[in-house]
PDB file of all heavy atoms in Angstrom:
ATOM      1  N   PHE A  17      99.350  97.282  91.358  1.00 90.00           N
ATOM      2  CA  PHE A  17      99.211  98.506  90.584  1.00 90.00           C
ATOM      3  C   PHE A  17     100.600  98.990  90.170  1.00 90.00           C
ATOM      4  O   PHE A  17     101.501  99.042  91.000  1.00 90.00           O
ATOM      5  CB  PHE A  17      98.576  99.622  91.425  1.00 90.00           C
ATOM      6  CG  PHE A  17      97.141  99.401  91.769  1.00 90.00           C
ATOM      7  CD1 PHE A  17      96.779  98.543  92.799  1.00 90.00           C
ATOM      8  CD2 PHE A  17      96.146 100.073  91.089  1.00 90.00           C
ATOM      9  CE1 PHE A  17      95.457  98.351  93.131  1.00 90.00           C
ATOM     10  CE2 PHE A  17      94.817  99.889  91.415  1.00 90.00           C
ATOM     11  CZ  PHE A  17      94.473  99.027  92.435  1.00 90.00           C
ATOM     12  N   VAL A  18     100.748  99.334  88.911  1.00 90.00           N
ATOM     13  CA  VAL A  18     102.009  99.896  88.418  1.00 90.00           C
ATOM     14  C   VAL A  18     101.668 101.106  87.554  1.00 90.00           C
ATOM     15  O   VAL A  18     100.803 101.027  86.682  1.00 90.00           O
ATOM     16  CB  VAL A  18     102.813  98.857  87.601  1.00 90.00           C
ATOM     17  CG1 VAL A  18     104.074  99.485  87.033  1.00 90.00           C
ATOM     18  CG2 VAL A  18     103.140  97.634  88.447  1.00 90.00           C
ATOM     19  N   ARG A  19     102.345 102.196  87.810  1.00 88.00           N
ATOM     20  CA  ARG A  19     102.141 103.414  87.007  1.00 88.00           C
ATOM     21  C   ARG A  19     102.675 103.156  85.606  1.00 88.00           C
ATOM     22  O   ARG A  19     103.770 102.641  85.440  1.00 88.00           O
ATOM     23  CB  ARG A  19     102.884 104.589  87.642  1.00 88.00           C
ATOM     24  CG  ARG A  19     102.756 105.858  86.852  1.00 88.00           C
ATOM     25  CD  ARG A  19     101.827 106.807  87.555  1.00 88.00           C
ATOM     26  NE  ARG A  19     101.844 108.104  86.895  1.00 88.00           N
ATOM     27  CZ  ARG A  19     100.806 108.618  86.263  1.00 88.00           C
ATOM     28  NH1 ARG A  19      99.674 107.960  86.213  1.00 88.00           N
ATOM     29  NH2 ARG A  19     100.872 109.784  85.697  1.00 88.00           N
ATOM     30  N   ASP A  20     101.890 103.509  84.597  1.00 88.00           N
ATOM     31  CA  ASP A  20     102.310 103.359  83.205  1.00 88.00           C
ATOM     32  C   ASP A  20     102.931 104.674  82.760  1.00 88.00           C
ATOM     33  O   ASP A  20     102.232 105.606  82.370  1.00 88.00           O
ATOM     34  CB  ASP A  20     101.113 102.990  82.327  1.00 88.00           C
ATOM     35  CG  ASP A  20     101.505 102.681  80.896  1.00 88.00           C
ATOM     36  OD1 ASP A  20     102.625 103.048  80.482  1.00 88.00           O
ATOM     37  OD2 ASP A  20     100.679 102.090  80.179  1.00 88.00           O
ATOM     38  N   GLU A  21     104.248 104.753  82.838  1.00 86.00           N
ATOM     39  CA  GLU A  21     104.953 105.996  82.520  1.00 86.00           C
ATOM     40  C   GLU A  21     104.815 106.377  81.048  1.00 86.00           C
ATOM     41  O   GLU A  21     104.762 107.549  80.706  1.00 86.00           O
ATOM     42  CB  GLU A  21     106.435 105.871  82.890  1.00 86.00           C
ATOM     43  CG  GLU A  21     106.681 105.592  84.371  1.00 86.00           C
ATOM     44  CD  GLU A  21     106.212 106.706  85.293  1.00 86.00           C
ATOM     45  OE1 GLU A  21     106.103 107.864  84.853  1.00 86.00           O
ATOM     46  OE2 GLU A  21     105.929 106.399  86.468  1.00 86.00           O
ATOM     47  N   ALA A  22     104.769 105.394  80.164  1.00 88.00           N
ATOM     48  CA  ALA A  22     104.707 105.669  78.718  1.00 88.00           C
ATOM     49  C   ALA A  22     103.337 106.186  78.286  1.00 88.00           C
ATOM     50  O   ALA A  22     103.235 107.150  77.535  1.00 88.00           O
ATOM     51  CB  ALA A  22     105.065 104.413  77.932  1.00 88.00           C
ATOM     52  N   GLU A  23     102.278 105.535  78.746  1.00 87.00           N
ATOM     53  CA  GLU A  23     100.920 105.864  78.307  1.00 87.00           C
ATOM     54  C   GLU A  23     100.156 106.727  79.305  1.00 87.00           C
ATOM     55  O   GLU A  23      99.129 107.297  78.965  1.00 87.00           O
ATOM     56  CB  GLU A  23     100.123 104.580  78.061  1.00 87.00           C
ATOM     57  CG  GLU A  23     100.714 103.663  77.007  1.00 87.00           C
ATOM     58  CD  GLU A  23     100.568 104.226  75.609  1.00 87.00           C
ATOM     59  OE1 GLU A  23      99.553 104.871  75.320  1.00 87.00           O
ATOM     60  OE2 GLU A  23     101.508 104.034  74.814  1.00 87.00           O
ATOM     61  N   GLY A  24     100.629 106.779  80.534  1.00 89.00           N
ATOM     62  CA  GLY A  24      99.888 107.451  81.598  1.00 89.00           C
ATOM     63  C   GLY A  24      98.901 106.482  82.218  1.00 89.00           C
ATOM     64  O   GLY A  24      98.621 105.417  81.678  1.00 89.00           O
ATOM     65  N   GLY A  25      98.394 106.799  83.377  1.00 91.00           N
ATOM     66  CA  GLY A  25      97.454 105.923  84.065  1.00 91.00           C
ATOM     67  C   GLY A  25      98.167 104.805  84.802  1.00 91.00           C
ATOM     68  O   GLY A  25      99.357 104.912  85.119  1.00 91.00           O
ATOM     69  N   TYR A  26      97.426 103.744  85.051  1.00 93.00           N
ATOM     70  CA  TYR A  26      97.918 102.649  85.874  1.00 93.00           C
ATOM     71  C   TYR A  26      97.556 101.309  85.252  1.00 93.00           C
ATOM     72  O   TYR A  26      96.480 101.160  84.682  1.00 93.00           O
ATOM     73  CB  TYR A  26      97.310 102.732  87.283  1.00 93.00           C
ATOM     74  CG  TYR A  26      97.630 104.042  87.949  1.00 93.00           C
ATOM     75  CD1 TYR A  26      96.805 105.152  87.781  1.00 93.00           C
ATOM     76  CD2 TYR A  26      98.769 104.177  88.720  1.00 93.00           C
ATOM     77  CE1 TYR A  26      97.110 106.367  88.371  1.00 93.00           C
ATOM     78  CE2 TYR A  26      99.087 105.386  89.318  1.00 93.00           C
ATOM     79  CZ  TYR A  26      98.255 106.480  89.139  1.00 93.00           C
ATOM     80  OH  TYR A  26      98.568 107.677  89.714  1.00 93.00           O
ATOM     81  N   VAL A  27      98.441 100.356  85.391  1.00 93.00           N
ATOM     82  CA  VAL A  27      98.200  98.981  84.962  1.00 93.00           C
ATOM     83  C   VAL A  27      97.973  98.163  86.229  1.00 93.00           C
ATOM     84  O   VAL A  27      98.696  98.317  87.210  1.00 93.00           O
ATOM     85  CB  VAL A  27      99.408  98.420  84.169  1.00 93.00           C
ATOM     86  CG1 VAL A  27      99.191  96.956  83.833  1.00 93.00           C
ATOM     87  CG2 VAL A  27      99.644  99.242  82.921  1.00 93.00           C
ATOM     88  N   VAL A  28      96.965  97.306  86.193  1.00 93.00           N
ATOM     89  CA  VAL A  28      96.632  96.478  87.346  1.00 93.00           C
ATOM     90  C   VAL A  28      96.614  95.022  86.916  1.00 93.00           C
ATOM     91  O   VAL A  28      96.070  94.679  85.862  1.00 93.00           O
ATOM     92  CB  VAL A  28      95.240  96.831  87.924  1.00 93.00           C
ATOM     93  CG1 VAL A  28      94.982  96.070  89.214  1.00 93.00           C
ATOM     94  CG2 VAL A  28      95.092  98.314  88.142  1.00 93.00           C
ATOM     95  N   THR A  38      94.512  94.742  83.469  1.00 95.00           N
ATOM     96  CA  THR A  38      93.730  95.853  82.924  1.00 95.00           C
ATOM     97  C   THR A  38      94.442  97.152  83.243  1.00 95.00           C
ATOM     98  O   THR A  38      95.546  97.137  83.798  1.00 95.00           O
ATOM     99  CB  THR A  38      92.284  95.839  83.462  1.00 95.00           C
ATOM    100  OG1 THR A  38      91.487  96.774  82.740  1.00 95.00           O
ATOM    101  CG2 THR A  38      92.228  96.144  84.942  1.00 95.00           C
ATOM    102  N   CYS A  39      93.810  98.253  82.921  1.00 94.00           N
ATOM    103  CA  CYS A  39      94.414  99.553  83.206  1.00 94.00           C
ATOM    104  C   CYS A  39      93.321 100.576  83.457  1.00 94.00           C
ATOM    105  O   CYS A  39      92.144 100.301  83.278  1.00 94.00           O
ATOM    106  CB  CYS A  39      95.319  99.990  82.065  1.00 94.00           C
ATOM    107  SG  CYS A  39      94.449 100.161  80.501  1.00 94.00           S
ATOM    108  N   GLY A  40      93.737 101.766  83.852  1.00 94.00           N
ATOM    109  CA  GLY A  40      92.816 102.867  84.063  1.00 94.00           C
ATOM    110  C   GLY A  40      93.575 104.171  84.131  1.00 94.00           C
ATOM    111  O   GLY A  40      94.773 104.180  84.446  1.00 94.00           O
ATOM    112  N   GLU A  41      92.898 105.264  83.832  1.00 93.00           N
ATOM    113  CA  GLU A  41      93.558 106.570  83.809  1.00 93.00           C
ATOM    114  C   GLU A  41      93.880 107.088  85.206  1.00 93.00           C
ATOM    115  O   GLU A  41      94.802 107.875  85.372  1.00 93.00           O
ATOM    116  CB  GLU A  41      92.691 107.573  83.062  1.00 93.00           C
ATOM    117  CG  GLU A  41      92.624 107.283  81.578  1.00 93.00           C
ATOM    118  CD  GLU A  41      91.870 108.348  80.810  1.00 93.00           C
ATOM    119  OE1 GLU A  41      91.696 109.467  81.327  1.00 93.00           O
ATOM    120  OE2 GLU A  41      91.466 108.052  79.676  1.00 93.00           O
ATOM    121  N   TYR A 110      98.392 101.146  96.985  1.00 87.00           N
ATOM    122  CA  TYR A 110      98.891 101.350  95.626  1.00 87.00           C
ATOM    123  C   TYR A 110     100.396 101.616  95.638  1.00 87.00           C
ATOM    124  O   TYR A 110     101.150 100.999  94.888  1.00 87.00           O
ATOM    125  CB  TYR A 110      98.150 102.509  94.939  1.00 87.00           C
ATOM    126  CG  TYR A 110      98.976 103.167  93.865  1.00 87.00           C
ATOM    127  CD1 TYR A 110      99.239 102.513  92.673  1.00 87.00           C
ATOM    128  CD2 TYR A 110      99.544 104.418  94.069  1.00 87.00           C
ATOM    129  CE1 TYR A 110     100.037 103.095  91.699  1.00 87.00           C
ATOM    130  CE2 TYR A 110     100.329 105.001  93.101  1.00 87.00           C
ATOM    131  CZ  TYR A 110     100.580 104.340  91.919  1.00 87.00           C
ATOM    132  OH  TYR A 110     101.375 104.905  90.968  1.00 87.00           O
ATOM    133  N   ARG A 114     103.088  99.102  93.996  1.00 80.00           N
ATOM    134  CA  ARG A 114     103.899  99.569  92.865  1.00 80.00           C
ATOM    135  C   ARG A 114     105.381  99.411  93.164  1.00 80.00           C
ATOM    136  O   ARG A 114     106.134  98.877  92.359  1.00 80.00           O
ATOM    137  CB  ARG A 114     103.575 101.018  92.549  1.00 80.00           C
ATOM    138  CG  ARG A 114     104.397 101.555  91.375  1.00 80.00           C
ATOM    139  CD  ARG A 114     104.241 103.016  91.203  1.00 80.00           C
ATOM    140  NE  ARG A 114     104.914 103.670  92.320  1.00 80.00           N
ATOM    141  CZ  ARG A 114     105.054 104.972  92.438  1.00 80.00           C
ATOM    142  NH1 ARG A 114     104.531 105.769  91.546  1.00 80.00           N
ATOM    143  NH2 ARG A 114     105.671 105.493  93.455  1.00 80.00           N
ATOM    144  N   ARG A 121     111.075  93.223  90.093  1.00 58.00           N
ATOM    145  CA  ARG A 121     111.319  93.026  88.660  1.00 58.00           C
ATOM    146  C   ARG A 121     112.784  92.747  88.389  1.00 58.00           C
ATOM    147  O   ARG A 121     113.139  92.101  87.434  1.00 58.00           O
ATOM    148  CB  ARG A 121     110.919  94.279  87.880  1.00 58.00           C
ATOM    149  CG  ARG A 121     109.530  94.209  87.395  1.00 58.00           C
ATOM    150  CD  ARG A 121     109.312  95.263  86.375  1.00 58.00           C
ATOM    151  NE  ARG A 121     108.000  95.808  86.618  1.00 58.00           N
ATOM    152  CZ  ARG A 121     107.583  96.963  86.208  1.00 58.00           C
ATOM    153  NH1 ARG A 121     108.391  97.767  85.561  1.00 58.00           N
ATOM    154  NH2 ARG A 121     106.380  97.369  86.456  1.00 58.00           N
TER     155      ARG A 121
END
Side-chain angles (χ1 to χ4, degrees):
F17 291 79
V18 177
R19 178 106 172 114
D20 186 343
E21 300 297 336
E23 300 289 325
Y26 302 88
V27 175
V28 186
T38 190
C39 60
E41 290 185 19
Y110 154 71
R114 180 189 70 175
R121 267 194 220 160

